[in-house]
Amino acid sequence: MQNHELRPETKRFLERQHGHFIGGAWLAEGEERIEVFNPATGSVIATTAAGGQADIDKVVAAARQAFAKPDWAGMSPSVRGKLLWRIADLIEQNGAQLAELEFLNNGKARDIIAQRDVPAAADVFRYFAGWATKIYGKTASLSRPTLHAYTLKEPLGVAGLIIPWNFPLLMAAWKLAPALAAGCSCILKPAEETPLTALRLVELVLEAGIPPGVVNLVTGYGHVVGAALAAHDGVDKVAFTGSTEVGKLIVRAAAGNLKKLSLELGGKSPTIILPDADLAAAKAAAAGSIFFNAGQVCAAGSRLFVHRSIFEDVVDAVAQRAKTIRVGAGDEPETEMGPLISKKHLERVDGYVQSGIGQGAEVLAGGSRLDRDGYFFKPTVLAGTAPHMSVVREEIFGPVLVSDSFDDLDEVAANANSSIYGLSASIWTQNVKAAHSLARKLQAGSILVNAGGGLDPNLPFGGYKQSGWGREFGEDGLELYLQTKSVVIGG
Ligand code: NAP
Ligand code: MG
């Protein structure tokens, strides 16, 4: 898409000198710049500031100040809830521009963003708007009855929010909404690849009436500003979504002041299909789970386990579906799957697939890049893989499915659990007993039975094992930004 076809407000936004949003004002002068690409074309669409330690010191000071100020610390829960609701309204009112920025910067289909990502971002703010007025402590009966004791729930303080590029607007909403409902002040660090919707969102947050300094944003490289945020003594908490590898770096960096951490990390989630499943639904879901968002989904069903008696039928059908998925730019008619986020990521995904093929994997669909500009990879289905291969063990974060067969529940549970990850697992069966049995055996934070999707702001989401610490969404998600104080009053 050429810039002249863009909405005027999008065009103006792209042309701005983007930088850090600190204390309610933009700071962008005299900085090293980072180019922001359109992954469907490989062209530069904007630039943003590459922040450094001095910017982090400045933003932490602003967030600390805002956290303590009466207009935020003393704000009534009901007003706080109203402001969160207003952010949701502003996301919807600016939905067309947000969708356009997201499709330009992330590459996914514009319609999918408008129909799913934008409303889902608004929903998360509305959900946590409701929680703002429902935070309360408890009274405790102590063994010495003369004492009166109760607990208070208090905000953790300054929260650093470090997010990835796969759902840039949604990830920002997932972090900001509970942090604000809890009364924290925030420093958002979007992925270097996809800062645009986050840059627009923080303006909408200010427009909604959240006091300046409560929500700040710093752009820059993860190993510079992300690392500085994770290490800063003035930051009380870091909420991170991204790779397990970087999650571990954040754990080490956070040790200095023992800041609280919540981590949503990688996955290698199994889809398990039993012989009595509704096969049409199971086949469609198996394909949807790995090819949605070009497989750049932490909970993507990237390992397919099919009962031996139906293995060929199911895997052939998924491969057929892979071959018919319309891959293209986000504004091309009927695009079902967009590009990968960057050239670097395309090379990484291709590298995994070629290594699998080199080790003997059979390609049932895809297996290579698309012959066009931009960072496109074909929906890929592999069979004949072995447990030691990196395509089976490691998170590829692309449209690549590995498949295997099984004979009984214990075998498939053991194979599905044979992973450092444990984010999600899908089971397809009409047999209630088998479903309950597998749901207990599988080591994953989310189990889906005969269901695709399953994300809801009212349902905790997060990982077992190296898929993370803590749960986003629901009351658990709010708790990530609160701490408990016990108060004892003598009689
Ligand atoms: P990533 O490299 O881990 O980056 C995530 C964020 O961390 C980015 O903002 C990145 O900044 C920043 N970062 C990089 N190095 C850092 C450091 N040393 N200290 C602090 N922050 C640092 O992950 P990604 O490639 O962007 O995203 C893909 C990964 O995210 C996948 O592994 C996927 O499974 C995971 N993910 C998990 C979930 C979930 O909910 N569990 C959701 C989505 C994605 P830069 O971009 O500037 O490098
Ligand atoms: Mg990165």
Side-chain angles (χ1 to χ4, degrees):
M1 168 177 268
Q2 298 302 308
N3 272 7
H4 64 263
E5 295 166 20
L6 296 173
R7 304 172 75 82
E9 67 270 29
T10 304
K11 239 172 109 175
R12 283 196 300 275
F13 188 82
L14 291 175
E15 284 160 6
R16 278 163 50 173
Q17 179 84 346
H18 293 291
H20 317 305
F21 189 66
I22 300 180
W26 291 107
L27 301 175
E29 315 84 41
E31 305 256 7
E32 182 195 339
R33 310 296 296 169
I34 298 180
E35 291 181 324
V36 178
F37 293 89
N38 177 344
T41 60
S43 57
V44 175
I45 50 173
T47 69
T48 189
Q53 182 67 49
D55 301 302
I56 292 296
D57 290 341
K58 208 180 292 175
V59 77
V60 171
R64 286 235 72 87
Q65 226 177 31
F67 178 66
K69 272 195 185 162
D71 60 346
W72 183 241
M75 183 182 278
S76 83
S78 129
V79 173
R80 189 170 285 159
K82 272 186 205 147
L83 297 188
L84 280 164
W85 195 275
R86 203 176 288 159
I87 296 171
D89 290 343
L90 287 171
I91 288 173
E92 283 174 350
Q93 284 161 25
N94 292 273
Q97 186 198 15
L98 287 167
E100 195 161 63
L101 289 172
E102 195 86 317
F103 118 81
L104 283 171
N105 194 180
N106 173 280
K108 69 183 97 183
R110 187 203 290 255
D111 289 351
I112 292 178
I113 302 167
Q115 287 156 19
R116 294 193 188 196
D117 298 43
V118 171
D123 275 357
V124 172
F125 278 101
R126 292 213 174 94
Y127 175 79
F128 282 105
W131 270 113
T133 50
K134 292 161 196 71
I135 297 170
Y136 61 91
K138 295 177 177 172
T139 56
S141 308
L142 303 190
S143 300
R144 277 171 59 193
T146 52
L147 299 179
H148 172 63
Y150 60 93
T151 59
L152 292 172
K153 289 286 182 186
E154 296 185 337
L156 267 174
V158 172
L161 313 174
I162 304 177
I163 57 171
W165 41 257
N166 55 342
F167 294 90
L169 176 67
L170 257 182
M171 290 296 121
W174 282 30
K175 298 280 184 272
L176 283 172
L180 293 175
C184 289
S185 64
C186 305
I187 302 163
L188 182 63
K189 206 306 270 179
E192 86 204 43
E193 295 89 347
T194 54
L196 297 184
T197 45
L199 287 162
R200 183 69 185 113
L201 180 62
V202 295
E203 288 185 328
L204 298 179
V205 166
L206 190 71
E207 189 181 331
I210 298 283
V214 171
V215 171
N216 309 277
L217 178 150
V218 175
T219 56
Y221 295 111
H223 65 278
V224 181
V225 285
L229 204 51
H232 205 290
D233 283 350
V235 175
D236 303 298
K237 187 232 156 63
V238 164
F240 170 75
T241 295
S243 60
T244 293
E245 189 189 348
V246 171
K248 291 178 185 178
L249 294 177
I250 287 176
V251 169
R252 290 192 198 105
N257 70 339
L258 286 178
K259 58 176 63 67
K260 309 294 183 279
L261 293 179
S262 48
L263 306 170
E264 292 291 352
L265 308 175
K268 191 79 180 173
S269 298
T271 298
I272 299 172
I273 304 182
L274 272 55
D276 57 22
D278 170 347
L279 286 185
K283 290 168 184 173
S289 176
I290 184 63
F291 300 129
F292 171 61
N293 213 43
Q296 302 169 124
V297 179
C298 50
S302 50
R303 291 182 297 151
L304 177 61
F305 295 97
V306 185
H307 191 268
R308 192 178 304 281
S309 62
I310 52 168
F311 179 77
E312 274 180 27
D313 172 42
V314 170
V315 174
D316 284 350
V318 174
Q320 275 313 312
R321 173 68 189 121
K323 288 175 189 165
T324 60
I325 287 175
R326 287 180 294 267
V327 182
D331 57 341
E332 286 167 10
E334 302 186 339
T335 286
E336 292 174 285
M337 198 182 99
L340 297 175
I341 193 65
S342 63
K343 186 163 179 283
K344 189 171 139 204
H345 190 51
L346 174 68
E347 283 162 3
R348 184 171 171 269
V349 170
D350 197 22
Y352 271 115
V353 172
Q354 301 323 317
S355 108
I357 294 170
Q359 290 175 307
E362 185 189 348
V363 180
L364 301 184
S368 60
R369 305 169 186 210
L370 228 61
D371 187 18
R372 60 175 280 177
D373 285 345
Y375 315 131
F376 296 92
F377 199 83
K378 292 179 191 163
T380 295
V381 179
L382 301 178
T385 49
H388 69 273
M389 292 184 186
S390 58
V391 280
V392 174
R393 286 199 331 274
E394 294 174 27
E395 180 181 53
I396 299 175
F397 220 55
V400 181
L401 180 68
V402 296
S403 56
D404 202 355
S405 61
F406 65 90
D407 291 301
D408 64 59
L409 294 193
D410 282 336
E411 178 196 356
V412 74
N415 287 340
N417 289 338
S418 167
S419 169
I420 61 164
Y421 298 113
L423 192 55
S424 179
S426 295
I427 303 164
W428 289 85
T429 180
Q430 307 281 2
N431 179 335
V432 176
K433 197 173 159 197
H436 283 299
S437 167
L438 265 182
R440 284 181 179 266
K441 287 178 203 284
L442 293 172
Q443 297 158 350
S446 295
I447 307 284
L448 301 169
V449 180
N450 300 332
L455 280 181
D456 188 291
N458 201 28
L459 190 67
F461 175 74
Y464 275 34
K465 300 193 273 186
Q466 293 188 35
S467 287
W469 287 352
R471 295 289 177 273
E472 299 200 282
F473 289 164
E475 193 169 1
D476 297 44
L478 185 73
E479 283 285 340
L480 299 179
Y481 298 90
L482 292 169
Q483 55 192 341
T484 304
K485 180 183 278 174
S486 296
V487 181
V488 179
I489 313 237

